[in-house]
């Protein structure tokens, strides 16, 4: 992951670099650092922890220099401390890096044998010394080109040189990198978001390319070091407001925003006057698609799994679901008639991007379901379905999950209708129900006090389980993921019917178990599975939907009732109390909810 920024200006740059680093913190927050050039010297300041801490460092406050680079780190090689923080510098060169250099051990050996001295445990430092070594013989362009050639792995780099007061080098392989153009200054950044307060004119580097950023112009080069021309894109200049409002955390705000973000997604895709779904410019004829392959990581993978249940239930399409990091290395049997759908909030997840790249290289049909429409996955897919939920800041995905499954559900309805798997009257009814979903989400959000109370038990438990069947199973996985990533409590999501094949052995007196049993086609089966865990001493939190029929079961610890709707849509509503359960558990433990330990919002390393 990691975030990088570079600014070459006529004015001092340290304040702007720190401000951009604050925006990049969603990419990593183990440590941060900055290097500027002033009076012919590289000044470097680094610290463990957040950008705030770096900003308060007195050395940063007085930092001079009109050219500089900055970094926020998500540690891959070496502990998250100030020595391993970037930039890494020799006397001549300073480097910030996002990615992983896979052959760093070998390269380090070679460089040490030539007399280079290493200070950190990072893979990045080999880049510094390789460039320093090449500069003894070659000019900047050749030194960069030769260095990049010898690196295996992925990187986005920002590099400054002691003897070059008007030059930042940027380079990309695998990890995203953007160049921005301002008045009398130019920029380098991990994404357009970091640059947006300074410019909306952007060029994205493609794999293998590097660039030289001067104050007044930028030059681009291909892998061979030959100059190339690149397009300048003009992004929307509206800067979204990213404040927490009255909320304590972005996550709380993002959970509460869900009725609105669902409404926005519905508005973008549902044509109520014609009872239809608008998916403009869909590049394939419906008879060219006989199967769907859905690919993502983490929460986005859970969205894929959710979609599989809908596609199988409502259409005759064959559906396959994959975790991107598995898909990319498996022996895949690519089929022309399969539509490959890549689900990613950030659109930058390295494994998901690699899976997309693999599909493209095999000539497959590719579609991205993303939130960030300028992202690499969106740019490189043949077709994009934006999820329209607005920027998500909390590292734990909430509103993006609901809007991912919303858009996948809408796509499922449309393809089902076109393939004549769904009758028009059923389709119309489902759209009607969908239009009502934001309201039901709003009402479901009112369940709050009880969740706060039950979260006390989850806090104290050494582990917990989340069970569901059918449509509720992906939501059980998602609920367990949210709890573990925020409150660091061990949580397993399981298909309720699988418990007796092993996991039942984990159940002991007082263990909190969430059972998702909405009144759908699986209801009775799930209730039976619930009895089995209650009989073994579990404290069951049953989450169902409102109904005139009482739940017939004894010894349920607590019950939460979400609103009622058709069974396709219940997963949306079941998700909400699970998000809140994770939130309140973490809140009571005093953990950093928007930035859980060891994680980052955009996972740009594999
Ligand atoms: C969990 C979470 C992660 C992401 C995963 C994929 O709350 O947010 O599991 O879902 O890292 O990220 P994207 O969707 O950006 O590809």
């Amino acid at each position: 992951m990691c975030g990088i920024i570079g600014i070459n200006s006529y004015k001092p740059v340290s304040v702007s670099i720190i401000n951009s680093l604050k925006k990049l913190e969603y990419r990593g927050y183990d440590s941060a650092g900055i290097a500027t050039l002033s009076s012919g010297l590289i000044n470097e300041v680094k610290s463990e922890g957040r950008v705030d801490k770096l900003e308060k460092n007195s050395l940063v406050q007085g930092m001079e220099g009109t050219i500089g680079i900055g970094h926020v780190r998500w540690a891959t090689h070496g502990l998250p401390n100030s020595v391993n923080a970037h930039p890494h510098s020799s006397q001549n060169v300073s480097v910030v890096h996002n990615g992983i250099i896979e052959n760093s051990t070998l390269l380090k050996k070679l460089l040490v044998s030539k007399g280079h001295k290493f200070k950190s445990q990072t893979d990045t430092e080999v880049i510094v010394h390789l460039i320093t070594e090449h500069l003894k013989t070659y000019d900047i362009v050749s030194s960069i080109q030769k260095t990049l050639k010898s690196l295996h792995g992925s990187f986005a780099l920002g590099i400054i040189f002691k003897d070059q007061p008007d030059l930042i080098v940027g380079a990309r392989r695998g990890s995203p990198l953007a160049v921005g153009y301002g008045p009398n200054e130019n920029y380098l950044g991990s994404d357009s978001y970091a640059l947006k307060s300074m410019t909306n004119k952007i060029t994205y580097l493609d794999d293998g390319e590097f660039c030289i950023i001067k104050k007044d112009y930028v030059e681009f080069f291909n892998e061979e070091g030959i100059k190339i021309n690149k397009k300048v894109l003009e992004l929307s200049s509206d800067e979204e407001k990213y404040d927490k409002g009255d909320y304590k955390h972005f996550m709380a705000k993002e959970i509460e925003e869900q009725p609105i973000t669902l409404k926005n997604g519905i508005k973008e895709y549902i044509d109520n006057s014609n009872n239809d779904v608008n998916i403009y410019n869909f590049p394939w004829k419906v008879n060219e698609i006989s199967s769907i392959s859905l690919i993502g990581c983490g929460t986005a993978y859970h969205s894929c799994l959710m979609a599989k249940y809908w596609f199988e239930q409502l259409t005759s399409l064959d559906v396959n679901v994959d975790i991107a990091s598995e898909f990319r290395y498996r022996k895949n049997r690519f089929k022309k008639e399969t539509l490959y759908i890549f689900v990613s909030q950030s659109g930058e997840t390295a494994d998901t991007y690699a899976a997309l790249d693999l599909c493209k290289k095999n000539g497959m049909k590719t579609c991205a379901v993303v939130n960030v429409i300028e992202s690499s996955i969106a740019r490189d897919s043949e077709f994009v379905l934006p999820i329209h939920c607005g920027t998500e800041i909390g590292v734990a995905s909430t509103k993006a999950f609901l809007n991912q499954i919303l858009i996948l559900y809408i796509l499922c309805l449309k393809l089902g209708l076109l393939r004549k798997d769904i009758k028009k009257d059923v389709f119309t009814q489902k759209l009607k129900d969908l239009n009502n979903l934001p309201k039901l989400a709003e009402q479901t959000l009112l369940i709050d006090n009880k969740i706060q109370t039950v979260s006390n038990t989850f806090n104290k438990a050494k582990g917990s389980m989340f069970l569901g069947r059918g449509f509720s199973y992906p939501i059980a996985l998602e609920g367990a993921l949210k709890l573990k990533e925020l409150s660091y409590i061990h949580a397993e999501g399981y298909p309720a019917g699988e418990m007796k094949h092993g996991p039942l052995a984990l159940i002991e007196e007082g263990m909190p178990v969430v059972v998702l049993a909405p009144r759908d086609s699986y209801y009775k089966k799930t209730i039976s599975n619930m009895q089995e865990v209650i009989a073994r001493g579990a404290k069951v939190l049953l989450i169902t939907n409102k109904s005139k029929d009482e739940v017939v079961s004894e010894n349920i610890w607590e019950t939460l009732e979400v609103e009622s709707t058709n069974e396709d849509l219940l997963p949306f509503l079941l998700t909400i109390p699970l998000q809140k359960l994770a939130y309140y558990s973490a809140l009571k433990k005093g953990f950093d909810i928007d930035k859980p330990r060891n994680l980052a919002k955009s996972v740009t390393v594999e």
Side-chain angles (χ1 to χ4, degrees):
M1 306 36 131
C2 308
I4 69 181
I5 181 80
I7 305 179
N8 189 359
S9 177
Y10 289 99
K11 302 176 295 196
V13 291
S14 64
V15 172
S16 303
I17 288 179
I18 294 287
N19 288 339
S20 301
L21 287 182
K22 285 182 185 163
K23 290 191 157 184
L24 283 169
E25 249 188 343
Y26 75 93
R27 304 178 75 95
Y29 35 82
D30 292 340
S31 54
I34 177 170
T36 60
L37 268 189
S38 101
S39 316
L41 288 175
I42 295 171
N43 310 301
E44 189 191 89
V45 187
K46 315 198 279 192
S47 69
E48 188 188 334
R50 304 281 159 90
V51 177
D52 274 353
K53 191 169 164 198
L54 177 73
E55 187 180 25
K56 286 183 192 132
N57 188 316
S58 57
L59 294 171
V60 168
Q61 290 183 355
M63 208 163 183
E64 291 181 348
T66 58
I67 178 168
I69 49 180
H71 189 268
V72 283
R73 179 167 186 248
W74 183 86
T76 58
H77 291 58
L79 292 172
N81 57 29
S82 61
V83 177
N84 290 329
H86 301 209
H88 291 283
S89 312
S90 67
Q91 285 229 311
N92 305 329
V93 180
S94 186
V95 174
V96 284
H97 169 216
N98 169 28
I100 294 181
I101 305 305
E102 288 165 359
N103 57 340
S104 61
T105 312
L106 264 178
L107 291 171
K108 189 170 173 179
K109 253 191 191 163
L110 193 86
L111 288 157
V112 167
S113 72
K114 291 188 175 178
H116 289 264
K117 295 218 162 26
F118 283 74
K119 293 176 255 183
S120 77
Q121 301 160 306
T122 65
D123 50 340
T124 305
E125 215 181 335
V126 297
I127 306 172
V128 177
H129 291 283
L130 274 175
I131 301 173
T132 308
E133 184 66 24
H134 286 309
L135 280 173
K136 290 179 186 163
T137 322
Y138 303 102
D139 65 4
I140 298 247
V141 171
S142 303
S143 300
I144 294 298
Q145 197 221 340
K146 285 182 190 304
T147 300
L148 301 185
K149 261 206 164 137
S150 55
L151 301 177
H152 297 175
S154 62
F155 51 78
L157 300 172
I159 310 162
I160 54 172
F161 304 82
K162 177 172 108 26
D163 301 326
Q164 301 288 335
D166 183 22
L167 188 154
I168 300 178
V169 166
R172 172 192 171 164
R173 189 196 297 155
S175 309
L177 196 59
V179 167
Y181 308 86
N184 304 319
E185 54 186 29
N186 291 312
Y187 321 99
L188 185 71
S190 289
D191 56 29
S192 59
Y193 171 54
L195 305 180
K196 220 158 185 187
S197 61
M198 302 183 284
T199 183
N200 64 336
K201 292 193 178 63
I202 298 284
T203 297
Y204 291 103
L205 263 76
D206 286 312
D207 261 359
E209 294 175 352
F210 63 98
C211 63
I212 289 185
I213 298 174
K214 304 256 185 167
K215 290 176 183 37
D216 297 313
Y217 64 91
V218 181
E219 291 174 316
F220 294 93
F221 300 84
N222 67 12
E223 257 167 313
E224 308 310 321
I226 296 167
K227 264 196 205 173
I228 52 169
N229 292 320
K230 300 276 297 173
K231 262 197 226 149
V232 178
L233 308 173
E234 200 144 330
L235 307 180
S236 135
S237 47
D238 330 330
E239 248 211 288
E240 263 185 80
K241 289 262 172 290
Y242 299 108
D243 58 74
K244 290 196 275 255
D246 291 338
Y247 295 94
K248 260 195 174 151
H249 300 98
F250 280 105
M251 184 185 177
K253 179 170 179 262
E254 287 159 4
I255 291 173
E256 296 296 327
E257 266 171 14
Q258 291 178 114
I260 300 166
T261 52
L262 286 171
K263 212 182 238 169
N264 290 344
I266 291 168
K267 198 174 81 204
E268 291 292 333
Y269 290 98
I270 308 280
D271 173 0
N272 279 320
S273 41
N274 293 308
N275 278 329
D276 204 356
V277 164
N278 284 333
I279 296 183
Y280 298 112
N281 304 323
F282 192 66
W284 310 284
K285 293 199 183 78
V286 72
N287 60 8
E288 288 172 353
I289 300 168
S290 67
S291 62
I292 296 218
S293 190
L294 295 138
I295 298 157
C297 300
T299 288
Y301 167 71
H302 296 156
S303 300
C304 296
L305 197 58
M306 189 64 246
K308 177 182 164 77
Y309 279 87
W310 284 324
F311 273 102
E312 283 180 350
Q313 181 73 24
L314 301 172
T315 78
S316 54
L317 288 158
D318 288 333
V319 192
N320 190 42
V321 177
D322 255 300
I323 291 177
S325 54
E326 290 295 314
F327 177 89
R328 63 182 291 191
Y329 292 115
R330 267 216 332 268
K331 190 169 174 199
N332 291 293
R333 286 174 183 74
F334 290 106
K335 292 197 190 109
K336 283 270 171 230
E337 59 284 4
T338 300
L339 172 62
Y340 290 84
I341 301 179
F342 302 88
V343 182
S344 174
Q345 186 285 127
S346 63
E348 299 295 352
T349 301
D351 285 317
T352 313
Y353 184 83
L356 162 68
D357 196 43
L358 186 67
C359 289
K360 278 176 55 181
K361 286 186 176 133
N362 282 279
M364 295 297 107
K365 302 177 178 70
T366 57
C367 170
V369 173
V370 291
N371 195 27
V372 183
I373 53 171
E374 301 104 23
S375 61
S376 307
I377 291 174
R379 289 200 312 275
D380 290 351
S381 295
E382 255 175 293
F383 188 62
V384 183
L385 291 168
I387 64 168
H388 298 290
C389 76
T391 304
E392 188 179 66
I393 304 278
V395 163
S397 200
T398 52
K399 62 176 183 172
F401 175 68
L402 281 203
N403 272 41
Q404 284 166 354
I405 63 173
L406 173 74
I407 277 47
L408 291 167
Y409 181 66
I410 291 174
L411 178 68
C412 168
L413 292 184
K414 180 72 179 180
L415 292 181
L417 182 74
L418 292 174
R419 292 170 62 83
K420 302 196 173 42
D421 295 328
I422 304 178
K423 295 207 176 76
K424 183 70 190 189
D425 58 332
V426 175
F427 176 84
T428 306
Q429 182 56 46
K430 287 191 185 291
L431 290 193
K432 211 167 147 200
D433 292 344
L434 202 49
N435 278 314
N436 206 26
L437 182 66
K439 178 115 203 34
L440 300 179
E442 205 174 312
Q443 285 158 357
T444 301
L445 278 163
L446 298 176
I447 315 172
D448 198 86
N449 287 345
K450 215 171 183 181
I451 305 179
Q452 295 200 38
T453 312
V454 295
S455 69
N456 288 324
T457 299
F458 283 83
N459 281 340
K460 292 177 196 115
K462 64 174 194 233
S464 63
M465 301 206 75
F466 289 66
L467 309 179
R469 293 181 84 119
F471 289 171
S472 302
Y473 166 52
I475 306 304
L477 292 180
E478 176 58 9
L481 176 62
K482 288 289 98 98
L483 188 70
K484 68 184 117 185
E485 72 175 318
L486 290 171
S487 39
Y488 320 145
I489 295 164
H490 184 78
E492 283 300 331
Y494 245 94
E498 267 290 291
M499 288 298 284
K500 55 178 80 64
H501 301 290
L504 209 49
L506 291 172
I507 303 292
E508 54 188 50
E509 198 61 40
M511 180 189 204
V513 174
V514 176
V515 176
L516 301 177
R519 322 301 173 112
D520 59 9
S521 358
Y522 305 89
Y523 177 64
K524 284 196 180 135
K525 300 279 172 210
T526 315
I527 293 293
S528 302
N529 298 137
M530 179 177 77
Q531 305 297 353
E532 292 159 6
V533 290
I534 292 176
R536 280 149 186 96
K539 260 182 136 169
V540 165
L541 169 63
L542 169 68
I543 308 187
T544 184
N545 57 315
K546 287 182 178 163
S547 163
K548 55 182 182 354
D549 304 319
E550 258 186 61
V551 177
V552 188
S553 173
E554 284 181 356
N555 300 324
I556 298 171
W557 168 50
E558 285 293 354
T559 302
L560 300 176
E561 288 183 331
V562 303
E563 296 301 310
S564 284
T565 175
N566 78 46
E567 72 172 24
D568 304 350
L569 300 184
L570 286 168
F572 289 90
L573 303 179
L574 295 174
T575 305
I576 292 171
L578 299 184
Q579 295 169 337
K580 287 197 168 195
L581 177 64
Y583 176 78
Y584 285 124
S585 301
L587 187 69
K588 292 198 180 127
K589 290 187 129 187
F591 293 153
D592 189 341
I593 290 181
D594 287 331
K595 293 193 175 85
R597 72 179 179 204
N598 304 338
L599 301 179
K601 186 75 184 153
S602 180
V603 185
T604 54
V605 292
E606 71 166 289

